[in-house]
Amino acid sequence: MEKAMTAGLEFSLTPEVLDEGTPEERAAFGMLSIKANGQSLTEGFDYYLDGFRTGPLVSTYYFAEWLAWNWWRLRWEPRPGASDWNMVHQMNTIGEGYVWPNIEIWSDGQRTFLLSRASSKPDARPFRYVGATPVIVPSTLFERAVDEFMPRVTGRLREGKIAETNLDRLWKDILEERKDPDLAIRRRLEALMGRDPDAIDDNAIDDLLAGRERLGKDAVDEVAAAMARLGSKMRKAEDFEAAAASIGFNAAPRSALTLQSREQLPRPTEVPAWKLGVVAAALVREQECLKDGKLSDHKLVDMAGAKASLLSTEPQGMSELSFALDDPNGINSSIVLSQRYKVGRRFALARIVGDQLINCSGALHPVTPVYTYRQKAQRSFAAELLAPFDAVEDFMRGDYSEDRQQDAAEYFDVSTWVINSLLKNHGKIERDESDIDRSIAA
């Protein structure tokens, strides 16, 4: 499913001489190289040199300044996000008169993705980038790479007898924020919401922080990310409690499915989110002695510790998000499904079941459309639980036409999107470019 390279990461600077520009620009001028596991993400053809270089000649002062200014959002904001997402996550928006690499950088919270594309024009000048295999690294490794790169740039400034610069001030602030636990939480929530530090003066962050004890700190992160993607207004604990009380269906957490052993679940830091979801779903099917066929409504609802009415009854109102919310004592729970149609409700409920199995802590188990690690694992779990690929493959018998995909969707009681995605993920049908980008994020 995931063909991107998992690798190490290094930002490097090879100094060169620049005769004009500001002192900072000249001091940090040179060849910028970004490498992962021996692969160059910045390689291209230099028309002045009439040959290939491992990176362009730029002032890395501007690159370092861009990294520092956007550090929190690069570290935490998933793809896609707020309206200014491209300006924050695409290197070619840095400007300042240089031809920057066409590289996107974003995170799902656990892992950081670097997507290096070739120049759009085959005769691009003065530097034509060749692109590279997408790279995925642990987000802690991305942090380390930036931490190691910054002193190299500021060191060049000190060698040039340049006193404290805007870059120095920005990076000093970042380091201080990272050391302050309370401030770091606030900055992370801002980043998940697609906001720059202290950019908007409202009560949103305070509302999210106030709900961490009731809802769970990790769940609040998911809510913040959903606010950026959906413009969701659900952010307080009271918002979820009100929706649960008015349109929720009762469930009993003690009756819900639990894994007999969690030892076989890989850690999020060890595997991509889709892999965690697939493994969890396979463990459930093995434990529950399920055949590889369709999962009935009755069995799915039973896994959630709920009654059949959860899927058979038309929703009496709409919610911005689907979720399960345990009461403060953990004895009772309410499940809210925001989807109108049954296949969507089944998929959302399967995601909730997966989230409760994989992420045990916290009272809130939110289902959102964002590309955080947690949401990606949910989607993968639900797809594998409701429509195991081996069973789908047997059903289709080599016929991957749209009509046969529709037949499979009706048989497994899922959307055609689920079937189509499974076939693309397993290489049975081709992706278009947007699908390729989405598969990297998924």
Side-chain angles (χ1 to χ4, degrees):
M1 292 175 77
E2 182 178 273
K3 298 181 180 179
M5 181 185 299
T6 302
L9 179 65
E10 179 186 17
F11 303 112
S12 65
L13 162 63
T14 303
E16 297 276 353
V17 176
L18 180 66
D19 295 328
E20 57 184 18
T22 66
E24 295 91 340
E25 183 178 5
R26 296 198 308 272
F29 183 78
M31 185 176 71
L32 170 65
S33 175
I34 302 177
K35 292 183 178 180
N37 200 27
Q39 176 189 219
S40 174
L41 306 187
T42 49
E43 184 176 1
F45 186 84
D46 188 325
Y47 280 86
Y48 292 131
L49 182 66
D50 195 24
F52 285 91
R53 280 182 179 267
T54 57
L57 292 178
V58 297
S59 177
T60 57
Y61 177 85
Y62 298 124
F63 175 54
E65 195 175 43
W66 178 81
L67 285 172
W69 180 258
N70 298 305
W71 191 90
W72 287 103
R73 292 180 65 178
L74 291 170
R75 174 60 181 85
W76 292 103
E77 186 179 16
R79 177 182 191 262
S83 59
D84 65 343
W85 194 92
N86 290 347
M87 293 296 295
V88 172
H89 296 271
Q90 293 183 346
M91 282 183 61
N92 60 9
T93 64
I94 297 175
E96 304 296 342
Y98 294 101
V99 182
W100 297 95
N102 190 15
I103 296 177
E104 287 183 3
I105 304 174
W106 75 91
S107 171
D108 67 9
Q110 293 286 349
R111 303 176 342 135
T112 293
F113 301 70
L114 295 95
L115 177 58
S116 175
R117 293 188 177 92
S119 296
S120 58
K121 296 181 179 180
D123 58 347
R125 297 171 181 262
F127 200 91
R128 176 174 56 83
Y129 293 99
V130 299
T133 303
V135 169
I136 303 172
V137 300
S139 291
T140 52
L141 187 59
F142 171 74
E143 289 186 20
R144 189 184 314 156
V146 176
D147 287 350
E148 292 174 352
F149 178 69
M150 287 297 181
R152 296 172 187 167
V153 178
T154 55
R156 292 292 301 171
L157 297 175
R158 300 295 92 82
E159 290 177 16
K161 310 299 182 184
I162 300 172
E164 185 175 286
T165 65
N166 184 56
L167 171 62
D168 291 290
R169 290 186 288 272
L170 286 171
W171 190 239
K172 180 181 178 181
D173 288 344
I174 292 294
L175 295 178
E176 290 177 352
E177 290 167 353
R178 287 163 56 180
K179 290 179 181 178
D180 184 328
D182 292 335
L183 191 52
I185 291 171
R186 179 176 287 272
R187 291 290 180 258
R188 184 173 76 238
L189 290 173
E190 289 172 331
L192 286 165
M193 290 177 65
R195 296 181 173 187
D196 294 327
D198 294 327
I200 300 178
D201 184 17
D202 62 11
N203 297 324
I205 300 298
D206 291 333
D207 290 341
L208 290 166
L209 290 171
R212 280 164 56 87
E213 182 175 353
R214 169 70 178 96
L215 304 177
K217 59 183 179 65
D218 293 334
V220 168
D221 284 356
E222 303 299 313
V223 173
M227 291 174 66
R229 178 71 183 273
L230 296 175
S232 172
K233 297 179 181 179
M234 295 184 69
R235 64 196 193 203
K236 298 180 181 179
E238 293 82 358
D239 296 332
F240 290 92
E241 290 174 335
S246 62
I247 59 174
F249 290 81
N250 293 332
R254 293 178 181 178
S255 300
L257 176 71
T258 58
L259 287 175
Q260 295 172 354
S261 174
R262 297 177 56 83
E263 293 181 358
Q264 297 182 60
L265 277 181
R267 297 178 180 178
T269 54
E270 298 173 346
V271 297
W274 71 262
K275 181 67 173 179
L276 175 58
V278 166
V279 170
L283 290 174
V284 168
R285 281 191 162 269
E286 180 180 1
Q287 175 181 302
E288 299 299 298
C289 300
L290 299 174
K291 296 181 180 180
D292 284 338
K294 174 182 175 181
L295 186 67
S296 69
D297 289 352
H298 174 78
K299 184 62 178 178
L300 177 58
V301 170
D302 188 58
M303 287 180 176
K307 297 180 180 179
S309 58
L310 177 58
L311 289 177
S312 62
T313 304
E314 284 289 325
Q316 299 302 307
M318 297 304 295
S319 168
E320 292 180 341
L321 301 175
S322 294
F323 63 90
L325 179 65
D326 297 340
D327 67 19
N329 297 319
I331 298 175
N332 298 304
S333 179
S334 290
I335 296 177
V336 173
L337 301 179
S338 64
Q339 289 74 12
R340 176 67 65 182
Y341 298 104
K342 185 182 174 183
V343 291
R345 292 166 67 80
R346 275 173 54 88
F347 196 74
L349 182 57
R351 288 180 63 177
I352 288 173
V353 170
D355 197 69
Q356 291 172 328
L357 294 174
I358 297 171
N359 303 285
C360 299
S361 62
L364 178 68
H365 295 274
V367 169
T368 81
V370 300
Y371 289 103
T372 60
Y373 188 96
R374 182 167 175 169
Q375 300 302 315
K376 292 190 291 183
Q378 283 182 19
R379 284 190 282 269
S380 176
F381 173 90
E384 187 67 17
L385 181 69
L386 298 178
F389 174 72
D390 289 343
V392 172
E393 178 75 341
D394 288 344
F395 181 90
M396 303 197 78
R397 298 179 181 178
D399 179 1
Y400 304 118
S401 65
E402 291 185 4
D403 287 344
R404 192 58 175 167
Q405 290 181 45
Q406 181 65 47
D407 292 341
E410 292 177 359
Y411 175 78
F412 289 100
D413 210 356
V414 296
S415 69
T416 54
W417 174 86
V418 171
I419 301 300
N420 188 262
S421 295
L422 283 171
L423 296 177
K424 287 177 178 176
N425 289 339
H426 287 83
K428 298 301 180 180
I429 58 177
E430 293 184 359
R431 300 180 183 274
D432 56 32
E433 184 175 351
S434 63
D435 285 323
I436 293 171
D437 291 352
R438 196 157 37 243
S439 71
I440 295 167

